[in-house]
Amino acid sequence: MKRKLTAAIGIAGMMVSIAACGGEGDGGSDKGADAKELTVWLTVDAQNNWPELVKAADAAVKKKHPGLKIDHEYYGWPDKNAKLDAVLATDKVPDVVEMGNTEMLGYMVKGAFAPLDQADFDNSDAWLDGLKASVTYDGKTYGVPYYAGGRVANWRKDVAASAGVKSTPKTYKELTAALDKIQKKQGDKFSAWYQPTRDWYAAMSFVYDAGGAIATESGGQWKASLSSPESLKGLTEFKNVVDSYMHGDKTKDESDRYIVYGQGKSAMIFAAAWEGATAEDPKNDKTGKLKGNLENFVMPGPSGKNMPVFLGGSDLAVPVKSDAQALAAEWINAFAGSSGQKGLMAKGNLPNNKTDLATLKNDPKTAVPATAAESNWFVPMAPGWGQVEKAQILQTMLQSIGTGKKSVEAAAEEADAAIDKVINTK
């Protein structure tokens, strides 16, 4: 999944009229059950990689509703939201729209999507926790998880072997012992673990592994908790990693990590599952040695358990202004339900539910990402979370910690104060 998922921001202005249109009740609608036309917006991922699944969903719904016309439009990730924002301000909206899971919150807060009845969708009682969180706001369900993508550790077996490391680490103690050997062997201009300092997805995995959180909710109000003892423990260990093994630019984010990895000056990354394979592509592998020497493994956490990972992915939602909400829900279930998930897994995606995920653990080709995804976390589903991301509060904190500009405690307290100013603001 070669994209970075970012929170939806900047949508307030074009959605002035939407909140008043929001559905009431617990979710689900009979609106448009007899509609004659359905418009589905998906990203080019579906168009390029699994068009047969789209056709199968169309056929299943048309069989139940003879004469139904289904129109499809496909968009790239960079321009999708701008187009969506523009149409949501009108009365001509798509009936189904694909969203990155971190994009959902801003739209749910503003009332852009219709509430859905979770019971109408296959495997909804087993949706992956991180994906379920992404479609849930204020106790209601506003979307359906489509597919997932997790994070794994990836390292160079040849570099490890040259330092006398013969086996893949299963515990965090084994991992750091191996990295210590690699770092000593390669010298201080080499990054045994290339870990960009501003990579908050990785840093927050350490926080959640230690029992901390970005923010917690009580009585309907959210409060930042990065300066809690548990969160500080996780942030301190993240700093230890950066100090010990990251010898690159400590002001960088993770956007070009796979490119840097391909340059051959690092032995390991903790990244989206596709990044290792992309680094070894001949276009990116500047060493000519990565092919066959890279290995994914489940990232062990300092807690003794598998490291909880940020679970990215896509969701499917129904705009509240849709005139075909009931049919839209049917199409979503035909596409992302039980049969659709099998097709998506065959294409290399992680499924939206724990039941199907368990089957992937038995296949050596998928066991690592499937096992890693079992332990996951998601961003706080707070009304002002989009403002937290827009202000890059976490990235600023992490850069201050990684560069030594501020102590872990001081940087965390400053971040908490900044988060608290906006996290409860719609």
Side-chain angles (χ1 to χ4, degrees):
M1 187 164 46
K2 302 178 183 180
R3 58 186 168 86
K4 182 179 178 181
L5 302 176
T6 56
I9 55 177
I11 62 174
M14 61 83 199
M15 293 170 65
V16 173
S17 65
I18 287 179
C21 302
E24 299 296 330
D26 294 330
S29 171
D30 293 328
K31 181 180 179 181
D34 57 352
K36 301 303 181 185
E37 189 169 348
L38 194 69
T39 300
V40 177
W41 281 19
L42 299 172
T43 68
V44 292
D45 296 339
Q47 182 181 33
N48 296 335
N49 300 320
W50 44 87
E52 70 276 14
L53 301 184
V54 178
K55 292 179 181 178
D58 288 353
V61 176
K62 287 180 177 180
K63 185 176 181 179
K64 292 178 61 179
H65 302 276
L68 176 66
K69 180 183 178 183
I70 303 179
D71 298 311
H72 294 279
E73 295 185 29
Y74 295 94
Y75 295 94
W77 285 102
D79 58 0
K80 173 183 66 70
N81 283 7
K83 295 180 183 295
L84 178 61
D85 294 349
V87 301
L88 287 179
T90 74
D91 291 324
K92 188 172 177 59
V93 301
D95 303 296
V96 176
V97 61
E98 177 182 350
M99 305 292 297
N101 63 349
T102 62
E103 296 172 342
M104 284 289 293
L105 181 57
Y107 289 84
M108 293 191 295
V109 168
K110 297 298 181 182
F113 298 140
L116 303 173
D117 186 345
Q118 187 175 317
D120 289 342
F121 302 96
D122 296 347
N123 298 310
S124 59
D125 58 344
W127 282 344
L128 298 178
D129 296 339
L131 295 187
K132 182 177 180 179
S134 75
V135 299
T136 306
Y137 180 71
D138 200 22
K140 296 180 182 179
T141 301
Y142 290 95
V144 174
Y146 171 13
Y147 65 92
R151 280 164 169 71
V152 298
N154 179 287
W155 78 351
R156 289 184 58 177
K157 294 183 292 183
D158 57 337
V159 175
S162 71
V165 179
K166 305 297 184 183
S167 59
T168 306
K170 298 294 189 295
T171 67
Y172 192 73
K173 184 176 181 180
E174 289 177 0
L175 174 63
T176 55
L179 292 173
D180 288 342
K181 291 179 180 179
I182 292 170
Q183 193 64 68
K184 183 177 180 180
K185 172 77 174 180
Q186 298 292 333
D188 60 11
K189 292 185 178 180
F190 185 89
S191 294
W193 176 349
Y194 180 75
Q195 179 50 65
T197 306
R198 292 172 64 87
D199 176 11
W200 64 275
Y201 297 108
M204 294 305 105
S205 287
F206 280 88
V207 167
Y208 282 92
D209 179 72
I214 299 170
T216 57
E217 185 266 341
S218 179
Q221 289 291 301
W222 287 84
K223 185 170 180 56
S225 56
L226 291 168
S227 55
S228 71
E230 296 83 4
S231 294
L232 290 175
K233 181 179 179 181
L235 289 171
T236 299
E237 186 55 37
F238 179 76
K239 176 176 170 56
N240 289 341
V241 166
V242 172
D243 287 349
S244 299
Y245 309 120
M246 169 61 178
H247 298 289
D249 183 350
K250 294 186 179 180
T251 67
K252 287 179 65 67
D253 65 17
E254 71 281 7
S255 60
D256 64 346
R257 171 170 43 210
Y258 67 93
I259 294 174
V260 175
Y261 196 32
Q263 293 171 350
K265 295 181 180 180
S266 52
M268 176 186 144
I269 55 175
F270 174 39
W274 57 263
E275 291 188 54
T278 306
E280 72 176 17
D281 186 297
K283 296 192 299 291
N284 299 314
D285 180 9
K286 304 306 180 184
T287 70
K289 300 178 180 178
L290 298 189
K291 191 73 172 178
N293 274 318
L294 296 187
E295 179 182 23
N296 281 337
F297 59 95
V298 178
M299 181 69 186
S303 68
K305 300 178 182 179
N306 291 342
M307 183 79 87
V309 299
F310 175 79
L311 203 59
S314 278
D315 299 324
L316 298 166
V318 179
V320 73
K321 289 185 177 182
S322 166
D323 291 325
Q325 292 181 19
L327 276 179
E330 282 189 44
W331 190 90
I332 289 173
N333 196 46
F335 184 55
S338 296
S339 61
Q341 290 302 313
K342 289 180 174 58
L344 288 165
M345 287 190 293
K347 295 292 184 176
N349 299 293
L350 293 179
N352 67 3
N353 67 89
K354 299 172 185 175
T355 305
D356 286 328
L357 187 71
T359 67
L360 296 182
K361 293 176 63 178
N362 299 321
D363 185 342
K365 295 179 181 178
T366 55
V368 168
T371 301
E374 286 184 312
S375 178
N376 55 78
W377 61 271
F378 198 64
V379 299
M381 296 303 285
W385 176 252
Q387 296 183 59
V388 175
E389 283 209 37
K390 183 179 181 180
Q392 299 195 355
I393 295 171
L394 296 181
Q395 293 95 320
T396 299
M397 173 191 71
L398 294 171
Q399 183 170 323
S400 293
I401 291 172
T403 59
K405 182 179 179 180
K406 289 185 174 71
S407 68
V408 172
E409 292 78 8
E413 288 177 4
E414 184 177 273
D416 276 352
I419 290 172
D420 284 338
K421 287 181 180 178
V422 298
I423 196 168
N424 291 297
T425 304
K426 290 187 178 181

